[in-house]
Amino acid sequence: MTTTLLRTAAELHARVRTGRRAVVMTMGALHEGHATLIRSARRIAGPDGEVVVTVFVNPLQFGAGEDLDRYPRTLDADVEVAGRAGADVVFAPAVDEVYPGGEPQVRVTAGPMGERLEGASRPGHFDGMLTVVAKLLHLTRPDVALYGQKDAQQLALIRRMVRDLNFAVEIVGVPTVREEDGLALSSRNRYLSPKERRTALALSQALFAGADRHAAQEALRARAREVPATRARAEALSAIGESRAADDAHAVAKATPGSAAAVRAAARLVLDEAARLTPPLELDYLALVDPSDFTEIGDDFTGEAVLAVAARVGATRLIDNITLTFGAAS
């Protein structure tokens, strides 16, 4: 399909709209993860709707010493990727189109949730992100906007902003896209040397280890609910010499309502091993949080939680996360 490149909001507003407009916001350097977002937007917009992909490297999101100047700018290739994935328009405004008076004096603030995890590591980052998202929502006027779940805290804050400030737009999260080896797709992956990439795999491996531990714990809890007299069964098995079956029954009997600590420990073990590699993984944070406010959960928590990790390998900082559900219905 033919994809139109627009540089100004006036050009975008002049387009005739017939169906729903779905927007995917990016900072360019598009890869398969972005393409997945665009394809999802195409499905939501339908054949009569319109998909707009924004390409804007937002200076407000980069702190001192971060990679604003180093961030890749590949607009020609981005238009091709967006077109193949189903975009009607690539909206690539200049900085003075988005911030015509220079850096804005009035900004959106992320509040306490924006000061945790990524916000603690990158002060001011989420204020800059929310400010540009708010501006791009006004400039593009979508019915629905799609964001990747890889940036889980960003997605949660955008949803909160839209709800708290009454933006008339639907927010859709799209699952993380991974490469064959499990590494979450990111524009920053291109900076990794082969040895750094091997170390970086520890991020996803740690998350998967935590997920495996969680699945095992939840399976034990399910069996404990199905067999209320497990402790008595374990003692009976021990009495007749069935030691392996007895050990299994004892494990079921001891299954606790929560397993947050065990999930963290399983993930941490992988990350600790990666810290001893060459080059080493330098952990920023590992957290198991409530997605409503990104505070750490306890072992009595039930519901959906996010296991998130951020680390640096060489000069490259990477993030990843997965979603886990605690406490199946009794």
Side-chain angles (χ1 to χ4, degrees):
M1 65 182 299
T2 301
T3 302
T4 303
L5 175 62
L6 301 179
R7 296 286 193 168
T8 70
E11 293 173 314
L12 184 59
H13 296 168
R15 290 177 64 87
V16 176
R17 296 176 61 169
T18 55
R20 301 183 81 197
R21 174 177 286 175
V23 165
V24 174
M25 297 181 186
T26 83
M27 292 207 299
L30 302 190
H31 50 63
E32 180 57 28
H34 298 110
T36 298
L37 283 166
I38 297 166
R39 287 192 291 269
S40 297
R42 182 77 271 164
R43 287 192 294 272
I44 289 172
D48 298 325
E50 182 179 58
V51 174
V52 176
V53 176
T54 70
V55 174
F56 180 67
V57 181
N58 178 33
L60 300 189
Q61 289 177 235
F62 292 80
E66 293 190 332
D67 54 358
L68 173 60
D69 294 334
R70 188 181 173 212
Y71 199 87
R73 274 92 166 164
T74 57
L75 183 57
D76 290 343
D78 293 342
V79 173
E80 292 184 9
V81 172
R84 288 196 300 269
D88 299 290
V89 174
V90 170
F91 177 52
V95 172
D96 60 3
E97 175 74 12
V98 178
Y99 303 121
E103 287 198 9
Q105 297 299 303
V106 177
R107 307 187 186 196
V108 178
T109 58
M113 182 162 51
E115 298 171 358
R116 300 173 184 133
L117 301 188
E118 284 297 292
S121 298
R122 306 174 67 190
H125 166 73
F126 285 127
D127 292 354
M129 179 276 294
L130 289 178
T131 298
V132 79
V133 167
K135 293 203 59 128
L136 288 172
L137 287 174
H138 290 313
L139 292 172
T140 60
R141 302 174 181 174
D143 300 290
V144 58
L146 296 88
Y147 302 89
Q149 290 179 357
K150 185 177 83 70
D151 297 296
Q153 194 171 3
Q154 170 180 283
L155 175 58
L157 281 163
I158 291 170
R159 282 178 165 151
R160 188 63 186 245
M161 177 184 73
V162 165
R163 182 169 66 250
D164 287 355
L165 301 184
N166 301 104
F167 279 75
V169 61
E170 177 187 356
I171 302 299
V172 173
V174 177
T176 300
V177 178
R178 299 185 179 278
E179 301 192 40
E180 289 186 3
D181 57 10
L183 189 67
L185 278 173
S186 168
S187 301
R188 292 187 169 93
N189 291 354
R190 68 184 68 193
Y191 301 145
L192 297 169
S193 70
K195 288 185 178 179
E196 288 172 341
R197 185 183 176 91
R198 284 194 291 272
T199 297
L201 292 177
L203 273 78
S204 57
Q205 290 167 353
L207 297 179
F208 299 153
D212 288 345
R213 183 66 186 87
H214 171 260
Q217 186 75 7
E218 289 294 314
L220 283 174
R221 291 184 60 230
R223 290 176 61 194
R225 290 194 302 272
E226 292 170 3
V227 188
T230 305
R231 191 176 302 278
R233 177 173 176 267
E235 292 171 355
L237 288 166
S238 295
I240 62 174
E242 294 288 343
S243 58
R244 291 184 62 183
D247 289 343
D248 179 71
H250 276 297
V252 172
K254 294 176 181 177
T256 57
S259 57
V263 170
R264 291 187 187 94
R268 173 74 67 167
L269 183 62
V270 175
L271 297 169
D272 288 346
E273 291 175 354
R276 296 188 286 272
L277 298 176
T278 304
L281 181 141
E282 300 175 18
L283 182 64
D284 189 344
Y285 61 77
L286 171 69
L288 184 56
V289 298
D290 182 340
S292 69
D293 59 8
F294 270 69
T295 57
E296 293 279 357
I297 67 168
D299 277 348
D300 59 347
F301 179 86
T302 58
E304 187 175 278
V306 173
L307 179 61
V309 62
R312 191 174 296 275
V313 182
T316 304
R317 187 176 184 276
L318 300 170
I319 64 172
D320 201 353
N321 70 85
I322 57 173
T323 300
L324 304 173
T325 301
F326 287 80
S330 299

